[in-house]
Amino acid sequence: TRTKKDSSKSNFDYQTNTKYYYSPSSNEYVNITYEKYNDYDYRDVKDLHKKIEENFHNTSSMQVTGSKHSYDKGLYKYSCIFRDTATTRAIDLRLFIRNGMMHEICTPYDTTIGLKGWTKGFMESFEPIDTVVGKNIFENKFQALLNDLSGQDTLKRQQANTSLHTAVGMHKAFADDFIKFIGSERFHWVNEESRAQLLVNGGSIENETIIEPYKKLYKHYTDSFYLQLCVLKGLGNLKTAKSY
């Protein structure tokens, strides 16, 4: 059994759960998926809808139609219809993201009849709760991650290491903080596995400014073939003529 103290240690990390609501009188139902993001995680709200649809395209054979998205007062909304050929069945899907929490609600329906009755009322009236859960997913928290990776607080350091390896990707918005950090003494305070992860993933920032500090780190790590290899992998991930 997880104790309350143990549970609090994992509250920073990604969590997910599902629930469904059913109307016996009309035999209709709505599925809800809840996702609490990792506290260091980040999404660029400007291209989030493209990322969502890329994910749908990669994970579903159904066509995404009628997509809409908006962002207002900290609440991101996305909606679309999943349709398949040679059938009248479809799925109405809607996403709501506020702070560090995402709600995904979806329901199947017949396109010849349309969304109506209990299901229509549920889908169109749903609003996520105002309670703050997790850290704002649209706020760049990469500097906080770097500070905790190289800091003295044991718990925060453990959480940052776990997050780096399981939940936090690299973004172009991280470039300045990343380049400054890997050129500083604090970078060498990070444990070896996390340094390796940062070096390999650094190329995905797609910024050639990393090349010079990577060259210096390659020379610095003459006693570690492992970290030199990670430097080369990071440059390989950059995929430009200069990085090669």
Side-chain angles (χ1 to χ4, degrees):
T1 302
R2 185 185 294 271
T3 64
K4 185 176 182 180
K5 183 178 180 181
D6 290 336
S7 178
S8 66
K9 290 181 180 180
S10 64
N11 287 341
F12 73 95
D13 210 355
Y14 173 86
Q15 299 173 37
T16 184
N17 203 352
T18 58
K19 188 175 183 178
Y20 78 93
Y21 291 88
Y22 175 66
S23 170
S25 60
S26 60
N27 195 31
E28 297 171 296
Y29 67 91
V30 173
N31 288 320
I32 302 183
T33 299
Y34 307 87
E35 291 187 1
K36 184 267 176 190
Y37 295 106
N38 180 284
D39 282 356
Y40 298 103
D41 209 348
Y42 169 72
R43 299 290 187 278
D44 187 344
V45 71
K46 295 191 298 293
D47 63 359
L48 184 57
H49 68 285
K50 295 179 182 177
K51 299 293 184 182
I52 291 172
E53 290 179 3
E54 285 175 7
N55 181 62
F56 289 156
H57 177 74
N58 293 330
T59 59
S60 174
S61 60
M62 301 181 75
Q63 297 177 347
V64 176
T65 61
S67 64
K68 299 177 183 178
H69 64 277
S70 64
Y71 181 65
D72 183 48
K73 297 180 180 178
L75 176 62
Y76 176 85
K77 296 182 181 181
Y78 173 90
S79 63
C80 71
I81 304 297
F82 281 103
R83 303 191 66 170
D84 211 345
T85 56
T87 178
T88 60
R89 301 296 290 171
I91 297 174
D92 187 309
L93 181 141
R94 309 184 189 199
L95 295 177
F96 304 83
I97 302 176
R98 175 182 283 147
N99 296 313
M101 189 76 173
M102 185 274 284
H103 296 73
E104 175 189 294
I105 64 172
C106 65
T107 186
Y109 70 99
D110 192 319
T111 56
T112 59
I113 301 174
L115 205 62
K116 64 175 187 176
W118 178 85
T119 305
K120 180 180 176 65
F122 189 105
M123 296 292 286
E124 294 184 351
S125 64
F126 180 88
E127 289 288 339
I129 59 174
D130 290 330
T131 305
V132 176
V133 179
K135 302 292 180 65
N136 185 355
I137 191 68
F138 304 122
E139 177 186 338
N140 184 343
K141 300 176 287 294
F142 189 64
Q143 185 61 63
L145 173 69
L146 299 177
N147 290 342
D148 291 343
L149 284 171
S150 57
Q152 299 301 313
D153 188 312
T154 303
L155 179 58
K156 286 186 177 180
R157 192 165 181 148
Q158 179 183 352
Q159 293 176 351
N161 283 311
T162 299
S163 301
L164 178 65
H165 291 280
T166 62
V168 179
M170 300 294 273
H171 296 265
K172 293 179 181 180
F174 299 167
D176 291 343
D177 290 335
F178 177 71
I179 292 164
K180 182 178 179 180
F181 183 70
I182 63 175
S184 72
E185 182 63 26
R186 291 183 67 89
F187 179 63
H188 305 295
W189 302 351
V190 178
N191 76 43
E192 185 177 69
E193 283 302 318
S194 290
R195 273 182 284 157
Q197 188 79 36
L198 286 169
L199 290 170
V200 171
N201 291 353
S204 61
I205 292 179
E206 299 179 2
N207 190 318
E208 286 195 333
T209 313
I210 72 168
I211 295 175
E212 287 305 315
Y214 267 44
K215 287 164 66 176
K216 292 178 181 179
L217 286 170
Y218 186 86
K219 294 176 181 179
H220 177 83
Y221 290 126
T222 52
D223 60 342
S224 175
F225 172 73
Y226 174 55
L227 289 175
Q228 283 189 326
L229 182 61
C230 291
V231 168
L232 296 176
K233 285 184 176 179
L235 289 172
N237 287 335
L238 187 54
K239 297 178 182 178
T240 68
K242 191 174 180 180
S243 68
Y244 283 122

